[in-house]
Amino acid sequence: MNVKRIIRGILFCMFVVIAFFGIFQATSKVVKAETYVDKSVLASPNPGIKLDGYFTTGTFAGNTAYVMNSNGVDIVRMTTGKNQTGAIWSNNDTNYLDVTKKQTISMWVYFGNIISTVGIPDGMAFVLQNDSRGAEAISKHGSIINKGETLGVWGSDTDTGKTPIQDQAIQNSFALEFDTDINSGKEPGNGFDSLPYNGKDYFGGQGHIAWALPAKATTYKKVSGGLLGSTYYAMVHNLGSDLLTNGNAVDFSFSKSHYNSYQDAWKHVTIEYVPDADGENAQINYKYDDKTYFGTAKSPLVKGTANISLSTFDLKGSKKLRYGFTASTGASSDITDAVIFESMPSLVDAEDNAYVVNKTNNTRIGNRSSDNAEANQNVNLFDDQDSNLTTSKTAHPGDELTFNYMMHFLSGETAMSGVNAKIDLPDNVAIAPDADGSIGKIYYRSFPDADGKVTTESASIGSDKISGKEVTCGLDDLGHSGKNWESARIALNVTAKDFPEGSSSTSMNVPASSAHFEGNNFVSDVHTDSFDIVKPGNELQITTDMTDKIKVNLGNKFNLTGDISFKNPETVNKNDMYINYRIDGGPIIRSQDTSAGSKFTIYDLETGTGAGQLDVGEYTIEVQVIDNNYPMANGGVDTLASNKLYYDVLVTNQTVTVTPEDSSITVDNNEPLTLKGTYEHADGTSTAGEGGSSVIAYTITTADGTTQSEVSDSQANDGKYSLTLDPYAYKKDPSVSLDDYTGNTGLKVGKNIVSITVVDEEGHKSKPTEVTVNVPDITPSLTTKQDEFSIVQGDPINMTANVNYGNNYQFTPSKLTWYVDANGHKTINSYSGDESVATLSQDFTIDSTANGIDDDANNPYTVSVYFTDPYGRKSEELDYKVDVMEKTAMIESTDYKFKDINASASPRVIGRDGAWKLQVKSVMSKWTLTAKAGQMTTDQLGGDVPLDGSLIYVSPDDDVNDMRQQTFIQNNTDDSKIKTTDIGGSWEPDEGVLLDVNSSTLAGTYSGEVEWDLTNSV
């Protein structure tokens, strides 16, 4: 007993020490929030959007989140002290995440006055959820709200005995946690961050950013051997793929010093949602600390991608997800968490871009990749006239530049309203006002109307809008309201500065220009790429010998040629050059000629009446060559632009007139149709004098409005044409069904518009001439004189179907494709016959065995038949019924009697009494009949007394057989007929079955049995 008490004492002492050590560890993190610092940070907010009516604070009891306004900015204050849990959610009415669209959500976050890199509990989480509780969703067990390491979204392992940990979490959700502290105590409520770090599962000495699915059991791992032998749960954290930015060991600490500002406490977060095309999965790309307080993009401290299945959210057909933040603190964590939202993608989903155009050399400066895009930036968003420009990296002193800042409205519940732009111009460029004093323009472009028409408008930006290097201007509302503007582009007129007098420098940097867009429901920052102003290392020159006016006939193509050289001679490498040209001052079109040598060609400029073609008239084409990869002496590359050449082009219109023999035709057969006609010059002269050949081309527009690909044929240029048009399925392989046929060119049922054009030897082209070809919408009739068949098992079924289109319409039998469905066995057949006929009696044979028509128990069987023709028309369907008769033989017999006799001492043979019915009915079957008779007895003499005698069989050959043995009676060797064999009726009185009685037979009535054995064989 004493020993036991000693052991208890030792254990008790150990417990006290450990418990005290645990308390020491927990309380060592108690840091009182610097209220003055919090107030100063909250008083220095970044720009954000108004939240009223679009967000709602969590509706669960005890929610600590609320919205405050500081200097006109709505801030969500999530926690303000110890033991708190807060949540803020989009209202899911007008503000939500649409799972079917690519969207971006951005915000600024503040984690309180954390002065230790170890971190202060506990942090926040960005959450997407479809919890049935809606805005009341929060982590809880029973009625108790979970705090601490749950961050308000994860389950808690402090009460898993009653509620499984995953069921305590926010349901149907995704969460990205900003965990400012590690929970590695290996005990319930303090063990989420205790798994070994392997690049995916978190472990580290500081806070972290990671994602997981809160309501999935696989997010949590039960671990034994915790503090005091406890069992606790750790969490599986998903980090980014780049080791340097994967979210492990993030320093969330902030403490004000003379090295930073209160604004530095705010960290920018970008969440980009990208749905897969399959509609079943999505990627969530996230960046942390990817922008400075001043809106300048920076390399993110953390970035990652979560690949998730949309089944996570159990949407049940909905496309809406509620998004927001949760946050929590522990018992010793007096900390402030806060969020400022910059965008609401369902309310306003927009994209922007900023870029510079060099008007002097017609290039676009910079070429940012999408990997380096800022939040909401589409690096491929350009004005139409700028999208095809050659990219460059430099400008020259005095170059005329346009700094462009674009905003594009994509979708949203409301218009983007109240937007003001603040633009900071960089060093080494200067605003260049035009003659009217404007420093630039704002260009608006509307959404297309029902007819596809787009409205444009511009507004001048006066010089009063610039102060120092800052330009400010307001934008009209964008979206489906007001003027229905889809996009706005601010274009500022700027000149590249010259090098200072006496400067020996060969390069000046132009930093990025920032633009800050801030409206009632959208905030964004975007920057141009930086570039260098350099002194040109050479001068690019172009010349041409095409000085006379170039004459081209309408419909023909032509080339422009020239020669490239450098003022200071050197080898011309056209692989690094682009040829820009514009027609009559229109948008620039970029071309390239990579052939060897200095000669260049712009190939195949088109004339005609279509889009992008030159119609009849005179044109001036401006040409300039750009070398955007010219090597500089310092190892960099420069962009050189040549002088401009101007080519004069005259497009004339000598055309061809086409006259068809018949402009409207109705076909009366299924064979190819020949269209004939003539053509000549529009002035009445013949084309034959040109010699050579003409190209006759046609397209077919079918009744459904589909225009098929053009078909062309080269024919003698003699003023006559002949075209052969096939029914679209005329050349179909007969073994291929119409459904599987991939051909789609040719005449079809209904109205076909055949548009014919002719281009003669000298390139004179006709306008399209139409011929209407009507293909009757006929359902061919299919009839038969016999639609019911009875066959013997295994026999073929010979059937006939009669075809008729009516009105003497002709068809070719071999061009019909027959579809036979025999008892569910489908085949495709064609039959011979290459002469056109108006009627047809088509014979075909069905193999009954191969098609499973072989069991009379399944009678009747159905055979269905129809056909399709070269125009794709389907006939009526014809059904046949087939009954199967099994090859068999069957005996029919009754009870029989012999004649009565008187007792006698003499043996006798007794004949049959009356006609015996003994027949065999057989169906195409051979058979053999045998019989065996049993003992005849009587019960009239006291018990079963046997007859002193037996049955005998006397054959037609007078052979006598004792029927007490198996006795042959008769057989049939003819299996070609269906017949009934009357065996008993064919016996003579002294033949067949008789009774042989001995002399000692006693008087009485005797009975017995005969076994007839019929075998279906011989």
Side-chain angles (χ1 to χ4, degrees), residues 45 126 357 874 888 967:
F126 171 79
V357 169
K874 180 182 176 181
T888 185
T967 302

Side-chain angles (χ1 to χ4, degrees), residues 471-484:
V471 177
T472 57
C473 55
L475 298 181
D476 288 355
D477 290 356
L478 300 185
H480 298 287
S481 67
K483 295 184 177 180
N484 204 37

Side-chain angles (χ1 to χ4, degrees), residues 688-755:
E690 300 171 355
S693 60
S694 292
V695 176
I696 317 297
Y698 69 88
T699 61
I700 299 175
T701 302
T702 52
D704 63 0
T706 301
T707 299
Q708 300 172 3
S709 300
E710 184 179 83
V711 179
S712 62
D713 183 33
S714 181
Q715 300 180 7
N717 189 28
D718 59 2
K720 300 177 182 179
Y721 70 86
S722 178
L723 299 171
T724 300
L725 281 63
D726 290 340
Y728 88 96
Y730 188 77
K731 295 179 180 178
K732 179 181 70 65
D733 185 334
S735 64
V736 175
S737 73
L738 192 64
D739 291 338
D740 294 333
Y741 180 56
T742 58
N744 200 36
T745 301
L747 299 172
K748 293 188 175 183
V749 171
K751 184 178 179 180
N752 297 264
I753 303 299
V754 183
S755 181

